[in-house]
Structures are given as C-alpha cells and as structure tokens.
C-alpha cells in the first residue's frame, strides 16, 4: 500500500482484535442497545466514532505527543475523564428503566446519547496514547507525509470500530428483546452497568503516564 504504510492487513486484523476487547466504549453501546434498542446503540456507536476522530487528528498532528510527554496535561485530562465516567456510572445506576423506553425517545434523546458517546471516548487520554503508540508501527519512518498516512490508518481503524459497534448494538438489542427482562431485572442491570462505568473511571484515575 502507498503512503509508506506497511503490513496493512496486519494492521486491519490487529485493529479488529483490539476492538473486541471490552472497554467503556463497548460497554456504553451495549448498555444503550440493551435498554433502549438498536437505534440508540447505533447513535452511541456513531458518537464514539466521532470522539475517535478527535484522537486521530490529535495524534496525526502532534497533540497526543504533547499529552504523552506532559505529566500535567495527562493528569488533567485523566481527572476530567475519570469524573465523567463516574458521573455516567452513577447516572446509569440511579436511572429508571421506564424513563428511557424506546417509545418515548425523540431527537433530543438521541442527541444526548450521541453526546455522551462522544465524551466517553474523547475524554479518555488512554485512547490518545493508544493511537500514538499503535499506528506509527505501520508507517515507514522515511515517509515524508506521515500525518496523511496516520489519518488514513486511523480512518480504517475507526471504520472497523464503528462497524463492530453496530454489530454489538444489534446483538445486545436482540438478546434484550428475547429475554424480555422484568423491570426489576432491568433496574439491577442498570446498576451493574453503572458500577462497571464507575470502575472504568476509577481505573483511569489510578493509571499512570507510560
């Protein structure tokens, strides 16, 4: 492949495998799909994808390098991301499963889901460092236009991530529809998922700059 991109298919396969690893993004898509249907999960996946564009652009143009080299910048973004994830977890744990029923959804509801997905991803400094460490391995050091090569690989990775997000949304919505869980069970599911979000937030708070 051109643009100094090496081992393109290895990059694609590695990216797909990495997307399968559970994390805050996949958890958010699954929780929205299970409780509010496939469309809500789809919107969540698109919001996360837009958040990933922020990291791709930042890494391609050197902003992530600043984050990687500055302990202060990393700590500030880490704290913001931690607070947001914990807030999301508490909100999910305290929410009523009847409030967000699909029949009551409107454009404002989907905008909120999109925004939450975007912030869940874009406020996670670990995602920025991941792109900075992973993508350059597949770019020739002698390539004069490394930023363009980085963006191309980032777009390929993000496309596969959004595709996987939609598959996860469909699976989660389908399983939830078949289970036909009781309101009480749905409420405990919300609490469990909220607890996992809070866990991811606390784990981010305890992470260190590599």
């Amino acid at each position: 492949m051109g643009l100094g991109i090496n081992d393109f298919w290895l990059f694609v396969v590695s990216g797909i495998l990495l997307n399968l690893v559970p994390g805050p993004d996949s958890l958010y898509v699954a929780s929205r799909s299970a409780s509010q249907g496939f469309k809500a999960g789809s919107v969540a996946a698109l919001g996360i994808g837009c958040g990933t564009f922020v990291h791709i652009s930042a890494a391609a143009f050197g902003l992530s390098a600043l984050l990687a080299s500055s302990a202060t910048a990393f700590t500030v973004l880490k704290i913001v991301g931690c607070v947001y994830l914990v807030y999301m977890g508490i909100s999910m744990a305290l929410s009523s499963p009847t409030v967000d029923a699909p029949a009551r959804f409107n454009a404002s509801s989907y905008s909120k889901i999109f925004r939450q997905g975007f912030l869940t991803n874009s406020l996670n400094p670990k995602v920025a460092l991941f792109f900075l460490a992973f993508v350059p391995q597949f770019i020739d050091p002698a390539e004069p236009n490394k930023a363009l090569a980085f963006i191309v690989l980032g777009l390929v990775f993000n496309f596969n991530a959004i595709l996987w997000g939609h598959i996860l949304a469909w699976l989660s919505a389908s399983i939830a529809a078949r289970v036909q869980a009781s309101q009480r069970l749905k409420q405990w599911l919300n609490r469990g998922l909220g607890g996992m979000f809070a866990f991811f937030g606390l784990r981010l708070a305890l992470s260190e700059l590599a």
Side-chain angles (χ1 to χ4, degrees):
M1 190 171 181
L3 295 175
I5 296 175
N6 302 319
D7 302 318
F8 176 72
W9 291 110
L10 176 60
F11 170 82
V12 172
V13 172
S14 300
I16 291 174
L17 293 176
L18 288 168
N19 281 319
L20 297 179
V21 178
D25 291 345
S26 56
L27 176 63
Y28 183 66
V29 172
S31 63
R32 285 301 188 185
S33 305
S35 59
Q36 291 134 9
F38 171 77
K39 188 174 181 179
S42 174
V43 171
L46 292 174
I48 289 168
C50 285
T52 302
F53 281 130
V54 173
H55 294 296
I56 293 171
S57 301
F61 297 106
L63 297 179
S64 290
L66 174 64
L67 180 65
S69 61
S70 171
T72 301
F74 179 84
T75 300
V76 169
L77 187 56
K78 182 179 70 172
I79 291 174
V80 173
C82 166
V83 170
Y84 184 74
L85 287 175
V86 171
Y87 163 76
M88 284 281 294
I90 294 175
S91 298
M92 292 172 65
L94 297 179
S95 66
S96 169
T98 59
V99 172
D100 293 326
R104 300 184 62 180
F105 263 40
N106 51 39
S108 176
S109 300
Y110 288 118
S111 295
K112 180 180 179 181
I113 291 174
F114 181 92
R115 184 171 62 253
Q116 288 178 337
F118 175 82
L119 292 175
T120 296
N121 184 278
S122 61
L123 291 179
N124 188 346
K126 287 292 187 179
V127 179
L129 298 184
F130 161 76
F131 277 106
L132 197 62
F134 178 66
V135 177
Q137 300 178 48
F138 300 90
I139 300 175
D140 189 337
E143 168 60 33
N145 201 346
K146 295 183 181 65
L148 180 58
F150 200 108
I151 290 174
V152 169
L153 289 176
L155 292 176
V156 171
F157 181 92
N158 200 23
F159 173 81
N160 290 331
I162 293 174
L163 182 61
W164 164 242
H166 280 77
I167 294 173
L168 181 61
W170 176 78
L171 289 172
S172 302
S174 299
I175 292 173
R178 291 177 181 274
V179 170
Q180 294 293 327
S182 66
Q183 293 296 96
R184 184 176 179 83
L185 181 57
K186 288 180 180 178
Q187 188 165 21
W188 279 107
L189 178 62
N190 280 348
R191 291 174 180 174
L193 292 172
M196 290 181 68
F197 251 93
F199 166 77
F200 280 121
L202 293 176
R203 190 176 69 172
L204 176 60
L206 297 175
S207 65
E208 296 181 359
L209 179 61

